[in-house]
Amino acid sequence: QLRLVESGGGSVQAGESLTLSCTRTGRPPYVAGQYFMAWFRQVPGKQREGVAVIQEGVPKEFADFARGRFTISQNNDKTTAYLQMNNLKPEDSAMYYCAADRSPDRWLRASDYSAWGEGTQVTVSS
């Protein structure tokens, strides 16, 4: 069973940076690089929204609010995905979740992902 564990959240001031990590473990057989790994975020009362997605080390898509400020990357064996967030804004405050799936139809649609982490909180103060 696939398991995802996020880390790296915290409280920062506007303009600062944070890097989130998501490590994927699971029982073989699986081929690490075949999974899409994505970051989503959610604030209370709102739908979970996609942030960025990567597959086999190649970033696939970014949400409009993330493009130019956030980068997504993976480690060499593709089991960990990183979300580097720069120039953070108060509106970036949310619970950030990592998700994984072999073949999401829509890369930034939450319902297309079968495995989820517990989330890590990001709070940006002005």
Side-chain angles (χ1 to χ4, degrees), residues 1-82:
Q1 181 157 347
L2 203 61
R3 183 168 177 257
L4 303 174
V5 179
E6 304 100 333
S7 62
S11 296
V12 297
Q13 297 288 319
E16 293 183 342
S17 299
L18 271 178
T19 299
L20 307 182
S21 299
C22 171
T23 298
R24 185 183 70 218
T25 59
R27 189 175 59 200
Y30 70 85
V31 179
Q34 291 181 348
Y35 277 87
F36 288 76
M37 293 183 73
W39 287 96
F40 290 80
R41 69 184 190 183
Q42 189 171 25
V43 296
K46 291 192 175 182
Q47 287 192 335
R48 195 167 292 190
E49 62 179 351
V51 178
V53 57
I54 191 168
Q55 192 232 1
E56 296 197 27
V58 179
K60 293 293 190 180
E61 189 175 357
F62 288 89
D64 288 344
F65 63 80
R67 201 171 292 116
R69 295 191 300 129
F70 296 0
T71 59
I72 189 169
S73 59
Q74 285 182 298
N75 62 347
N76 287 339
D77 64 7
K78 311 300 186 296
T79 56
T80 299
Y82 304 96

Side-chain angles (χ1 to χ4, degrees), residues 77-107:
D77 64 7
K78 311 300 186 296
T79 56
T80 299
Y82 304 96
L83 184 69
Q84 169 75 39
M85 304 184 293
N86 299 320
N87 190 23
L88 282 162
K89 305 174 181 180
E91 52 264 42
D92 293 318
S93 297
M95 183 71 78
Y96 282 72
Y97 296 92
C98 179
D101 197 273
R102 288 199 173 196
S103 56
D105 287 337
R106 297 280 297 273
W107 292 338

